[in-house]
Amino acid sequence: MAKKSSMWTPANIVTCARVVLVPVWLLMAEVLGGPGAGGIAVFVAFCLLSLTDKLDGYLARSRNEVTTFGKFLDPIADKLVVIVALCYLLECGAPVSWALLVIVAREFLVSGLRMVVATKGIVIAAGNLGKWKTATTMVSICGSLLAMALANTPAVAGPLQTLSYALLAVAVVLTIWSGVDYFVKSWGALADDELEDAGASDASGSDASDAVPTWDDAVALAFEVLEAARKRGVHVGTAESCTGGLVEAALTAVPGSSDVVMGAVGSYACSVKQAILGVSGDTLASVGAVSSECAQQMAEGALGALGCEASVSVTGIAGPGGATPGKPVGLVWFGVSVAGQTRTESVVFPGDRAEVRLRSVMHALGMLKGALEG
């Protein structure tokens, strides 16, 4: 019997505590903030508040307790900490209004974007840019708070404040960059909506359609992928888990495909994902094989393992069993890597095991074709 997942894991308790402590810290800053010991206390309290983000992440990974609730609340807690602190600095007269505006605007835009693409069963994974953006912003805020506490020592406070503003400028650049990255990753999903509104059909097959694709459909789409690869002058390969080599089978069902297809890595076992494709053990332990991170590393690992310039990866839960909290049967993650750029997305497919696998083949081929043509 599967173990029932609890929402109240140690990591989630730390995250909830961080949310609760934000207004407590703000009250402390309003009362004690400024030059002297009170300002030092405010600085130390904010540093500890920021470090809880590392603590809950460590607890979730080390205990293998990554939960849907944690994925939902943790980024909200981070944004709350940053925005409240910037509002406090603004109230104290620090010239951070421009940074606050950019950060808040980016969060609104990205949150709205995620909601739109989620209606199509696609999840845009957070990347390292977002993590660096948050870390740089928090370090900048810590520097500004310490500079305010040391205001009676201008020789120290002045350079420290200048450095903090410089870091904040870097954080703003990373904020804009990561926001653009989200839109680039989701552009295909937005473009698909425009095609559907115009009544046009998607040549790669619509995942939202109730019609179950046939093997002939997959081979026909594979032909288009091969033509796109030839025009671009690249070789292709696949890294497959739940599809068990079916994507490669569709490609090699086309006569003459040997000039394009290098091969496939059938990485059904996690040990194969690690040994041949270079998937990180930390990734498998923290977010699992059915994840954006794993799909990305599979696609990128296939490039080196197969000696190709373009690759597509598939990892998911074809059913009938294997579902876990937050990962239902039919959830499949895809990665496509072309010209040094890797994109991932997920779809929850309807149907039985055979239908999920065939729909996955169609989606993988469609992603690869779009990346090659793009």
Side-chain angles (χ1 to χ4, degrees):
M1 182 176 177
K3 180 181 177 182
K4 186 176 180 180
S5 174
S6 171
M7 186 171 71
W8 298 111
T9 63
N12 288 348
I13 291 173
V14 171
T15 305
C16 290
R18 183 156 86 254
V19 173
V20 172
L21 288 174
V22 168
V24 175
W25 175 84
L26 181 60
L27 178 61
M28 175 184 178
E30 295 280 2
V31 175
L32 300 178
I40 294 292
V42 171
F43 160 73
V44 172
F46 184 81
C47 290
L48 294 174
L49 193 61
S50 301
L51 289 174
T52 57
D53 180 41
K54 295 294 183 182
L55 176 59
D56 61 17
Y58 168 77
L59 289 172
R61 290 189 296 271
S62 63
R63 297 170 59 90
N64 196 25
E65 292 178 338
V66 178
T67 65
T68 301
F69 180 68
K71 291 178 182 178
F72 159 74
L73 190 61
D74 182 66
I76 292 179
D78 291 341
K79 293 172 178 59
L80 189 61
V81 170
V82 167
I83 292 173
V84 167
L86 286 175
C87 287
Y88 170 71
L89 291 176
L90 184 62
E91 181 183 359
C92 293
V96 297
S97 56
W98 49 278
L100 181 61
L101 175 62
V102 170
I103 290 172
V104 172
R106 182 262 190 196
E107 300 309 334
F108 273 113
L109 288 171
V110 170
S111 296
L113 178 65
R114 280 176 159 174
M115 290 175 62
V116 170
V117 299
T119 62
K120 302 186 65 179
I122 298 172
V123 178
I124 305 299
N128 290 330
L129 282 174
K131 297 175 183 178
W132 279 106
K133 176 261 299 182
T134 300
T136 306
T137 306
M138 287 185 173
V139 171
S140 169
I141 293 171
C142 286
S144 293
L145 291 173
L146 182 57
M148 289 172 59
L150 300 176
N152 293 330
T153 312
V156 177
L160 180 59
Q161 189 66 78
T162 300
L163 177 60
S164 299
Y165 287 152
L167 283 175
L168 188 58
V170 173
V172 168
V173 172
L174 292 174
T175 297
I176 297 171
W177 189 1
S178 63
V180 171
D181 184 57
Y182 273 109
F183 275 86
V184 170
K185 288 179 177 178
S186 62
W187 186 253
L190 297 176
D192 286 345
D193 285 339
E194 293 173 359
L195 288 174
E196 289 168 8
D197 290 341
S201 60
D202 183 356
S204 65
S206 173
D207 297 313
S209 172
D210 292 332
V212 180
T214 66
W215 182 247
D216 288 341
D217 294 330
V219 175
L221 181 54
F223 176 83
E224 297 178 15
V225 171
L226 295 172
E227 287 299 300
R230 290 187 182 103
K231 288 180 181 179
R232 188 148 181 169
V234 300
H235 297 88
V236 302
T238 70
E240 304 180 55
S241 184
C242 65
T243 47
L246 288 175
V247 180
E248 185 204 24
L251 289 167
T252 55
V254 179
S257 57
S258 58
D259 66 329
V260 172
V261 180
M262 296 298 291
V265 176
S267 54
Y268 207 69
C270 287
S271 58
V272 177
K273 291 180 177 70
Q274 288 184 267
I276 299 181
L277 295 173
V279 176
S280 165
D282 290 339
T283 293
L284 296 172
S286 61
V287 293
V290 184
S291 63
S292 171
E293 293 85 348
C294 184
Q296 176 181 340
Q297 292 172 33
M298 286 173 64
E300 293 173 348
L303 298 177
L306 298 171
C308 55
E309 299 81 31
S311 67
V312 65
S313 65
V314 188
T315 177
I317 306 171
T324 60
K327 295 183 179 181
V329 170
L331 171 65
V332 183
W333 273 98
F334 302 86
V336 62
S337 188
V338 179
Q341 295 185 344
T342 305
R343 175 191 173 210
T344 65
E345 62 184 46
S346 68
V347 180
V348 179
F349 293 109
D352 59 20
R353 182 178 180 85
E355 291 177 11
V356 169
R357 280 156 57 95
L358 190 51
R359 290 180 187 272
S360 297
V361 171
M362 292 292 291
H363 192 86
L365 291 171
M367 277 187 69
L368 183 55
K369 176 175 178 284
L372 290 170
E373 292 178 341

